[in-house]
PDB file of all heavy atoms in Angstrom:
ATOM      1  N   SER A   6      -6.411  -7.777   6.225  1.00 98.00           N
ATOM      2  CA  SER A   6      -5.433  -8.592   5.494  1.00 98.00           C
ATOM      3  C   SER A   6      -4.947  -7.875   4.237  1.00 98.00           C
ATOM      4  O   SER A   6      -3.768  -7.968   3.871  1.00 98.00           O
ATOM      5  CB  SER A   6      -5.997  -9.971   5.160  1.00 98.00           C
ATOM      6  OG  SER A   6      -7.074  -9.868   4.269  1.00 98.00           O
ATOM      7  N   GLN A   7      -5.830  -7.115   3.571  1.00 98.00           N
ATOM      8  CA  GLN A   7      -5.405  -6.328   2.410  1.00 98.00           C
ATOM      9  C   GLN A   7      -4.416  -5.244   2.832  1.00 98.00           C
ATOM     10  O   GLN A   7      -3.428  -4.992   2.137  1.00 98.00           O
ATOM     11  CB  GLN A   7      -6.610  -5.686   1.732  1.00 98.00           C
ATOM     12  CG  GLN A   7      -7.509  -6.656   1.007  1.00 98.00           C
ATOM     13  CD  GLN A   7      -8.731  -5.957   0.445  1.00 98.00           C
ATOM     14  OE1 GLN A   7      -9.335  -5.093   1.101  1.00 98.00           O
ATOM     15  NE2 GLN A   7      -9.101  -6.323  -0.776  1.00 98.00           N
ATOM     16  N   ILE A   8      -4.676  -4.602   3.972  1.00 98.00           N
ATOM     17  CA  ILE A   8      -3.773  -3.576   4.480  1.00 98.00           C
ATOM     18  C   ILE A   8      -2.409  -4.168   4.784  1.00 98.00           C
ATOM     19  O   ILE A   8      -1.369  -3.612   4.411  1.00 98.00           O
ATOM     20  CB  ILE A   8      -4.374  -2.877   5.725  1.00 98.00           C
ATOM     21  CG1 ILE A   8      -5.549  -1.985   5.307  1.00 98.00           C
ATOM     22  CG2 ILE A   8      -3.318  -2.072   6.478  1.00 98.00           C
ATOM     23  CD1 ILE A   8      -6.353  -1.422   6.471  1.00 98.00           C
ATOM     24  N   LEU A   9      -2.390  -5.319   5.443  1.00 98.00           N
ATOM     25  CA  LEU A   9      -1.115  -5.964   5.765  1.00 98.00           C
ATOM     26  C   LEU A   9      -0.331  -6.329   4.507  1.00 98.00           C
ATOM     27  O   LEU A   9       0.881  -6.146   4.448  1.00 98.00           O
ATOM     28  CB  LEU A   9      -1.350  -7.212   6.614  1.00 98.00           C
ATOM     29  CG  LEU A   9      -1.738  -6.958   8.063  1.00 98.00           C
ATOM     30  CD1 LEU A   9      -2.113  -8.264   8.755  1.00 98.00           C
ATOM     31  CD2 LEU A   9      -0.622  -6.256   8.799  1.00 98.00           C
ATOM     32  N   ALA A  10      -1.035  -6.840   3.495  1.00 97.00           N
ATOM     33  CA  ALA A  10      -0.359  -7.206   2.245  1.00 97.00           C
ATOM     34  C   ALA A  10       0.232  -5.967   1.568  1.00 97.00           C
ATOM     35  O   ALA A  10       1.377  -6.011   1.077  1.00 97.00           O
ATOM     36  CB  ALA A  10      -1.347  -7.907   1.314  1.00 97.00           C
ATOM     37  N   LEU A  11      -0.505  -4.877   1.538  1.00 96.00           N
ATOM     38  CA  LEU A  11       0.013  -3.648   0.922  1.00 96.00           C
ATOM     39  C   LEU A  11       1.191  -3.090   1.712  1.00 96.00           C
ATOM     40  O   LEU A  11       2.171  -2.615   1.126  1.00 96.00           O
ATOM     41  CB  LEU A  11      -1.079  -2.595   0.837  1.00 96.00           C
ATOM     42  CG  LEU A  11      -1.805  -2.484  -0.488  1.00 96.00           C
ATOM     43  CD1 LEU A  11      -2.923  -1.472  -0.414  1.00 96.00           C
ATOM     44  CD2 LEU A  11      -0.865  -2.148  -1.607  1.00 96.00           C
ATOM     45  N   LYS A  12       1.119  -3.141   3.023  1.00 96.00           N
ATOM     46  CA  LYS A  12       2.231  -2.654   3.842  1.00 96.00           C
ATOM     47  C   LYS A  12       3.490  -3.476   3.595  1.00 96.00           C
ATOM     48  O   LYS A  12       4.596  -2.931   3.572  1.00 96.00           O
ATOM     49  CB  LYS A  12       1.865  -2.694   5.323  1.00 96.00           C
ATOM     50  CG  LYS A  12       0.965  -1.556   5.754  1.00 96.00           C
ATOM     51  CD  LYS A  12       0.741  -1.615   7.256  1.00 96.00           C
ATOM     52  CE  LYS A  12      -0.001  -0.405   7.743  1.00 96.00           C
ATOM     53  NZ  LYS A  12      -0.145  -0.424   9.217  1.00 96.00           N
ATOM     54  N   ARG A  13       3.320  -4.772   3.402  1.00 96.00           N
ATOM     55  CA  ARG A  13       4.470  -5.632   3.093  1.00 96.00           C
ATOM     56  C   ARG A  13       5.146  -5.183   1.804  1.00 96.00           C
ATOM     57  O   ARG A  13       6.371  -5.097   1.722  1.00 96.00           O
ATOM     58  CB  ARG A  13       3.999  -7.086   2.975  1.00 96.00           C
ATOM     59  CG  ARG A  13       4.873  -8.063   3.716  1.00 96.00           C
ATOM     60  CD  ARG A  13       4.327  -9.479   3.682  1.00 96.00           C
ATOM     61  NE  ARG A  13       3.301  -9.655   4.709  1.00 96.00           N
ATOM     62  CZ  ARG A  13       2.052 -10.011   4.487  1.00 96.00           C
ATOM     63  NH1 ARG A  13       1.628 -10.271   3.271  1.00 96.00           N
ATOM     64  NH2 ARG A  13       1.203 -10.150   5.480  1.00 96.00           N
ATOM     65  N   VAL A  14       4.340  -4.878   0.808  1.00 94.00           N
ATOM     66  CA  VAL A  14       4.863  -4.414  -0.479  1.00 94.00           C
ATOM     67  C   VAL A  14       5.559  -3.065  -0.324  1.00 94.00           C
ATOM     68  O   VAL A  14       6.652  -2.847  -0.852  1.00 94.00           O
ATOM     69  CB  VAL A  14       3.724  -4.319  -1.523  1.00 94.00           C
ATOM     70  CG1 VAL A  14       4.175  -3.592  -2.772  1.00 94.00           C
ATOM     71  CG2 VAL A  14       3.204  -5.705  -1.872  1.00 94.00           C
ATOM     72  N   LEU A  15       4.944  -2.166   0.435  1.00 94.00           N
ATOM     73  CA  LEU A  15       5.501  -0.819   0.574  1.00 94.00           C
ATOM     74  C   LEU A  15       6.751  -0.776   1.459  1.00 94.00           C
ATOM     75  O   LEU A  15       7.554   0.141   1.342  1.00 94.00           O
ATOM     76  CB  LEU A  15       4.433   0.132   1.126  1.00 94.00           C
ATOM     77  CG  LEU A  15       3.314   0.467   0.141  1.00 94.00           C
ATOM     78  CD1 LEU A  15       2.173   1.189   0.846  1.00 94.00           C
ATOM     79  CD2 LEU A  15       3.830   1.296  -1.012  1.00 94.00           C
ATOM     80  N   ARG A  16       6.918  -1.764   2.329  1.00 95.00           N
ATOM     81  CA  ARG A  16       8.112  -1.801   3.180  1.00 95.00           C
ATOM     82  C   ARG A  16       9.343  -2.341   2.449  1.00 95.00           C
ATOM     83  O   ARG A  16      10.468  -2.097   2.867  1.00 95.00           O
ATOM     84  CB  ARG A  16       7.843  -2.655   4.413  1.00 95.00           C
ATOM     85  CG  ARG A  16       6.954  -1.981   5.417  1.00 95.00           C
ATOM     86  CD  ARG A  16       6.758  -2.848   6.635  1.00 95.00           C
ATOM     87  NE  ARG A  16       5.785  -2.242   7.521  1.00 95.00           N
ATOM     88  CZ  ARG A  16       4.764  -2.889   8.066  1.00 95.00           C
ATOM     89  NH1 ARG A  16       4.610  -4.180   7.839  1.00 95.00           N
ATOM     90  NH2 ARG A  16       3.924  -2.254   8.846  1.00 95.00           N
ATOM     91  N   ALA A  17       9.116  -3.082   1.399  1.00 93.00           N
ATOM     92  CA  ALA A  17      10.226  -3.639   0.621  1.00 93.00           C
ATOM     93  C   ALA A  17      10.862  -2.525  -0.213  1.00 93.00           C
ATOM     94  O   ALA A  17      10.230  -1.496  -0.476  1.00 93.00           O
ATOM     95  CB  ALA A  17       9.708  -4.752  -0.294  1.00 93.00           C
ATOM     96  N   PRO A  18      12.102  -2.702  -0.633  1.00 93.00           N
ATOM     97  CA  PRO A  18      12.726  -1.693  -1.507  1.00 93.00           C
ATOM     98  C   PRO A  18      11.890  -1.498  -2.781  1.00 93.00           C
ATOM     99  O   PRO A  18      11.485  -2.464  -3.417  1.00 93.00           O
ATOM    100  CB  PRO A  18      14.089  -2.302  -1.836  1.00 93.00           C
ATOM    101  CG  PRO A  18      14.357  -3.257  -0.730  1.00 93.00           C
ATOM    102  CD  PRO A  18      13.030  -3.793  -0.299  1.00 93.00           C
ATOM    103  N   TRP A  19      11.659  -0.269  -3.099  1.00 89.00           N
ATOM    104  CA  TRP A  19      10.828   0.049  -4.253  1.00 89.00           C
ATOM    105  C   TRP A  19      11.632  -0.099  -5.542  1.00 89.00           C
ATOM    106  O   TRP A  19      12.720   0.417  -5.684  1.00 89.00           O
ATOM    107  CB  TRP A  19      10.295   1.460  -4.157  1.00 89.00           C
ATOM    108  CG  TRP A  19       9.330   1.679  -3.032  1.00 89.00           C
ATOM    109  CD1 TRP A  19       8.985   0.790  -2.048  1.00 89.00           C
ATOM    110  CD2 TRP A  19       8.599   2.857  -2.756  1.00 89.00           C
ATOM    111  NE1 TRP A  19       8.092   1.331  -1.195  1.00 89.00           N
ATOM    112  CE2 TRP A  19       7.828   2.624  -1.594  1.00 89.00           C
ATOM    113  CE3 TRP A  19       8.509   4.085  -3.360  1.00 89.00           C
ATOM    114  CZ2 TRP A  19       6.980   3.573  -1.049  1.00 89.00           C
ATOM    115  CZ3 TRP A  19       7.671   5.035  -2.814  1.00 89.00           C
ATOM    116  CH2 TRP A  19       6.908   4.781  -1.681  1.00 89.00           C
ATOM    117  N   GLN A  20      11.050  -0.794  -6.493  1.00 91.00           N
ATOM    118  CA  GLN A  20      11.649  -0.967  -7.810  1.00 91.00           C
ATOM    119  C   GLN A  20      10.917  -0.148  -8.871  1.00 91.00           C
ATOM    120  O   GLN A  20      11.328  -0.114 -10.017  1.00 91.00           O
ATOM    121  CB  GLN A  20      11.618  -2.453  -8.210  1.00 91.00           C
ATOM    122  CG  GLN A  20      12.294  -3.382  -7.219  1.00 91.00           C
ATOM    123  CD  GLN A  20      13.778  -3.081  -7.071  1.00 91.00           C
ATOM    124  OE1 GLN A  20      14.458  -2.778  -8.043  1.00 91.00           O
ATOM    125  NE2 GLN A  20      14.265  -3.149  -5.841  1.00 91.00           N
ATOM    126  N   GLN A  21       9.818   0.474  -8.466  1.00 91.00           N
ATOM    127  CA  GLN A  21       8.973   1.245  -9.380  1.00 91.00           C
ATOM    128  C   GLN A  21       8.224   2.297  -8.566  1.00 91.00           C
ATOM    129  O   GLN A  21       8.208   2.219  -7.334  1.00 91.00           O
ATOM    130  CB  GLN A  21       7.973   0.319 -10.069  1.00 91.00           C
ATOM    131  CG  GLN A  21       7.048  -0.365  -9.061  1.00 91.00           C
ATOM    132  CD  GLN A  21       6.270  -1.498  -9.673  1.00 91.00           C
ATOM    133  OE1 GLN A  21       6.716  -2.115 -10.613  1.00 91.00           O
ATOM    134  NE2 GLN A  21       5.101  -1.769  -9.132  1.00 91.00           N
ATOM    135  N   PRO A  22       7.579   3.238  -9.203  1.00 92.00           N
ATOM    136  CA  PRO A  22       6.760   4.205  -8.460  1.00 92.00           C
ATOM    137  C   PRO A  22       5.627   3.477  -7.721  1.00 92.00           C
ATOM    138  O   PRO A  22       5.031   2.539  -8.250  1.00 92.00           O
ATOM    139  CB  PRO A  22       6.192   5.121  -9.542  1.00 92.00           C
ATOM    140  CG  PRO A  22       7.138   4.976 -10.693  1.00 92.00           C
ATOM    141  CD  PRO A  22       7.655   3.569 -10.628  1.00 92.00           C
ATOM    142  N   MET A  23       5.359   3.881  -6.489  1.00 93.00           N
ATOM    143  CA  MET A  23       4.375   3.182  -5.655  1.00 93.00           C
ATOM    144  C   MET A  23       3.202   4.092  -5.250  1.00 93.00           C
ATOM    145  O   MET A  23       2.526   3.816  -4.272  1.00 93.00           O
ATOM    146  CB  MET A  23       5.063   2.647  -4.394  1.00 93.00           C
ATOM    147  CG  MET A  23       6.194   1.685  -4.665  1.00 93.00           C
ATOM    148  SD  MET A  23       5.635   0.162  -5.423  1.00 93.00           S
ATOM    149  CE  MET A  23       5.443  -0.846  -3.989  1.00 93.00           C
ATOM    150  N   ALA A  24       2.983   5.145  -6.001  1.00 94.00           N
ATOM    151  CA  ALA A  24       1.919   6.089  -5.644  1.00 94.00           C
ATOM    152  C   ALA A  24       0.549   5.415  -5.613  1.00 94.00           C
ATOM    153  O   ALA A  24      -0.252   5.677  -4.702  1.00 94.00           O
ATOM    154  CB  ALA A  24       1.908   7.257  -6.617  1.00 94.00           C
ATOM    155  N   SER A  25       0.264   4.550  -6.557  1.00 95.00           N
ATOM    156  CA  SER A  25      -1.058   3.908  -6.579  1.00 95.00           C
ATOM    157  C   SER A  25      -1.245   2.998  -5.371  1.00 95.00           C
ATOM    158  O   SER A  25      -2.335   2.940  -4.795  1.00 95.00           O
ATOM    159  CB  SER A  25      -1.267   3.132  -7.878  1.00 95.00           C
ATOM    160  OG  SER A  25      -0.322   2.095  -7.985  1.00 95.00           O
ATOM    161  N   GLU A  26      -0.175   2.319  -4.952  1.00 95.00           N
ATOM    162  CA  GLU A  26      -0.250   1.461  -3.775  1.00 95.00           C
ATOM    163  C   GLU A  26      -0.459   2.290  -2.506  1.00 95.00           C
ATOM    164  O   GLU A  26      -1.211   1.903  -1.617  1.00 95.00           O
ATOM    165  CB  GLU A  26       1.011   0.604  -3.640  1.00 95.00           C
ATOM    166  CG  GLU A  26       1.105  -0.531  -4.631  1.00 95.00           C
ATOM    167  CD  GLU A  26       1.680  -0.126  -5.987  1.00 95.00           C
ATOM    168  OE1 GLU A  26       1.860   1.090  -6.244  1.00 95.00           O
ATOM    169  OE2 GLU A  26       1.933  -1.031  -6.801  1.00 95.00           O
ATOM    170  N   GLN A  27       0.195   3.450  -2.446  1.00 96.00           N
ATOM    171  CA  GLN A  27       0.020   4.326  -1.291  1.00 96.00           C
ATOM    172  C   GLN A  27      -1.406   4.875  -1.223  1.00 96.00           C
ATOM    173  O   GLN A  27      -2.004   4.939  -0.142  1.00 96.00           O
ATOM    174  CB  GLN A  27       1.028   5.475  -1.339  1.00 96.00           C
ATOM    175  CG  GLN A  27       2.445   5.023  -1.091  1.00 96.00           C
ATOM    176  CD  GLN A  27       3.446   6.133  -1.310  1.00 96.00           C
ATOM    177  OE1 GLN A  27       3.363   6.877  -2.277  1.00 96.00           O
ATOM    178  NE2 GLN A  27       4.396   6.244  -0.393  1.00 96.00           N
ATOM    179  N   ARG A  28      -1.955   5.252  -2.365  1.00 97.00           N
ATOM    180  CA  ARG A  28      -3.345   5.730  -2.397  1.00 97.00           C
ATOM    181  C   ARG A  28      -4.306   4.619  -1.986  1.00 97.00           C
ATOM    182  O   ARG A  28      -5.260   4.851  -1.231  1.00 97.00           O
ATOM    183  CB  ARG A  28      -3.701   6.253  -3.788  1.00 97.00           C
ATOM    184  CG  ARG A  28      -3.197   7.655  -4.050  1.00 97.00           C
ATOM    185  CD  ARG A  28      -3.788   8.234  -5.327  1.00 97.00           C
ATOM    186  NE  ARG A  28      -3.371   7.502  -6.515  1.00 97.00           N
ATOM    187  CZ  ARG A  28      -2.245   7.753  -7.190  1.00 97.00           C
ATOM    188  NH1 ARG A  28      -1.436   8.706  -6.787  1.00 97.00           N
ATOM    189  NH2 ARG A  28      -1.938   7.054  -8.259  1.00 97.00           N
ATOM    190  N   GLU A  29      -4.059   3.406  -2.473  1.00 97.00           N
ATOM    191  CA  GLU A  29      -4.905   2.264  -2.116  1.00 97.00           C
ATOM    192  C   GLU A  29      -4.836   1.987  -0.618  1.00 97.00           C
ATOM    193  O   GLU A  29      -5.864   1.702   0.018  1.00 97.00           O
ATOM    194  CB  GLU A  29      -4.477   1.021  -2.909  1.00 97.00           C
ATOM    195  CG  GLU A  29      -5.307  -0.207  -2.627  1.00 97.00           C
ATOM    196  CD  GLU A  29      -6.741  -0.104  -3.107  1.00 97.00           C
ATOM    197  OE1 GLU A  29      -7.049   0.765  -3.947  1.00 97.00           O
ATOM    198  OE2 GLU A  29      -7.570  -0.900  -2.636  1.00 97.00           O
ATOM    199  N   LEU A  30      -3.656   2.086  -0.026  1.00 97.00           N
ATOM    200  CA  LEU A  30      -3.503   1.872   1.416  1.00 97.00           C
ATOM    201  C   LEU A  30      -4.309   2.916   2.188  1.00 97.00           C
ATOM    202  O   LEU A  30      -5.016   2.570   3.137  1.00 97.00           O
ATOM    203  CB  LEU A  30      -2.027   1.933   1.816  1.00 97.00           C
ATOM    204  CG  LEU A  30      -1.728   1.760   3.297  1.00 97.00           C
ATOM    205  CD1 LEU A  30      -2.195   0.393   3.785  1.00 97.00           C
ATOM    206  CD2 LEU A  30      -0.245   1.949   3.563  1.00 97.00           C
ATOM    207  N   CYS A  31      -4.252   4.162   1.796  1.00 96.00           N
ATOM    208  CA  CYS A  31      -5.022   5.220   2.467  1.00 96.00           C
ATOM    209  C   CYS A  31      -6.518   4.950   2.361  1.00 96.00           C
ATOM    210  O   CYS A  31      -7.265   5.128   3.333  1.00 96.00           O
ATOM    211  CB  CYS A  31      -4.691   6.587   1.881  1.00 96.00           C
ATOM    212  SG  CYS A  31      -3.065   7.181   2.357  1.00 96.00           S
ATOM    213  N   LYS A  32      -6.952   4.516   1.175  1.00 97.00           N
ATOM    214  CA  LYS A  32      -8.369   4.214   0.967  1.00 97.00           C
ATOM    215  C   LYS A  32      -8.820   3.062   1.861  1.00 97.00           C
ATOM    216  O   LYS A  32      -9.880   3.126   2.495  1.00 97.00           O
ATOM    217  CB  LYS A  32      -8.608   3.871  -0.511  1.00 97.00           C
ATOM    218  CG  LYS A  32     -10.056   3.667  -0.874  1.00 97.00           C
ATOM    219  CD  LYS A  32     -10.212   3.388  -2.346  1.00 97.00           C
ATOM    220  CE  LYS A  32     -10.226   1.883  -2.504  1.00 97.00           C
ATOM    221  NZ  LYS A  32     -10.494   1.412  -3.838  1.00 97.00           N
ATOM    222  N   LEU A  33      -8.009   2.009   1.950  1.00 98.00           N
ATOM    223  CA  LEU A  33      -8.352   0.860   2.787  1.00 98.00           C
ATOM    224  C   LEU A  33      -8.370   1.229   4.272  1.00 98.00           C
ATOM    225  O   LEU A  33      -9.251   0.790   5.020  1.00 98.00           O
ATOM    226  CB  LEU A  33      -7.372  -0.291   2.544  1.00 98.00           C
ATOM    227  CG  LEU A  33      -7.498  -1.007   1.206  1.00 98.00           C
ATOM    228  CD1 LEU A  33      -6.338  -1.969   1.002  1.00 98.00           C
ATOM    229  CD2 LEU A  33      -8.824  -1.743   1.108  1.00 98.00           C
ATOM    230  N   LYS A  34      -7.416   2.046   4.685  1.00 97.00           N
ATOM    231  CA  LYS A  34      -7.376   2.468   6.091  1.00 97.00           C
ATOM    232  C   LYS A  34      -8.596   3.322   6.442  1.00 97.00           C
ATOM    233  O   LYS A  34      -9.168   3.188   7.525  1.00 97.00           O
ATOM    234  CB  LYS A  34      -6.077   3.213   6.382  1.00 97.00           C
ATOM    235  CG  LYS A  34      -4.861   2.293   6.387  1.00 97.00           C
ATOM    236  CD  LYS A  34      -3.576   3.072   6.409  1.00 97.00           C
ATOM    237  CE  LYS A  34      -3.049   3.229   7.796  1.00 97.00           C
ATOM    238  NZ  LYS A  34      -1.723   3.888   7.803  1.00 97.00           N
ATOM    239  N   ARG A  35      -9.000   4.170   5.527  1.00 95.00           N
ATOM    240  CA  ARG A  35     -10.189   4.994   5.749  1.00 95.00           C
ATOM    241  C   ARG A  35     -11.431   4.108   5.857  1.00 95.00           C
ATOM    242  O   ARG A  35     -12.280   4.302   6.735  1.00 95.00           O
ATOM    243  CB  ARG A  35     -10.356   6.008   4.612  1.00 95.00           C
ATOM    244  CG  ARG A  35     -11.391   7.064   4.879  1.00 95.00           C
ATOM    245  CD  ARG A  35     -11.443   8.140   3.797  1.00 95.00           C
ATOM    246  NE  ARG A  35     -10.135   8.623   3.400  1.00 95.00           N
ATOM    247  CZ  ARG A  35      -9.583   8.424   2.183  1.00 95.00           C
ATOM    248  NH1 ARG A  35     -10.238   7.778   1.254  1.00 95.00           N
ATOM    249  NH2 ARG A  35      -8.383   8.886   1.903  1.00 95.00           N
ATOM    250  N   ARG A  36     -11.522   3.112   4.980  1.00 97.00           N
ATOM    251  CA  ARG A  36     -12.669   2.187   5.022  1.00 97.00           C
ATOM    252  C   ARG A  36     -12.672   1.384   6.321  1.00 97.00           C
ATOM    253  O   ARG A  36     -13.730   1.185   6.930  1.00 97.00           O
ATOM    254  CB  ARG A  36     -12.624   1.256   3.803  1.00 97.00           C
ATOM    255  CG  ARG A  36     -13.703   0.227   3.757  1.00 97.00           C
ATOM    256  CD  ARG A  36     -15.062   0.833   3.570  1.00 97.00           C
ATOM    257  NE  ARG A  36     -16.039  -0.244   3.442  1.00 97.00           N
ATOM    258  CZ  ARG A  36     -17.307  -0.057   3.248  1.00 97.00           C
ATOM    259  NH1 ARG A  36     -17.771   1.153   3.136  1.00 97.00           N
ATOM    260  NH2 ARG A  36     -18.121  -1.066   3.158  1.00 97.00           N
TER     261      ARG A  36
END
């Protein structure tokens, strides 16, 4: 569910840098 929520955020038009969200997604996927 955390992965799905982050993907929803990352699929929307970016209004700010999203590097931390991308790193968090990679960490969650690895876990």
Side-chain angles (χ1 to χ4, degrees):
S6 65
Q7 289 176 319
I8 289 171
L9 286 173
L11 263 176
K12 282 184 173 183
R13 226 175 278 121
V14 169
L15 289 169
R16 286 182 186 132
W19 294 6
Q20 304 298 321
Q21 61 193 28
M23 301 295 266
S25 62
E26 286 84 351
Q27 290 173 316
R28 280 191 296 273
E29 181 67 17
L30 179 61
C31 287
K32 185 178 94 174
L33 289 171
K34 289 169 96 175
R35 191 174 315 113
R36 178 67 176 181

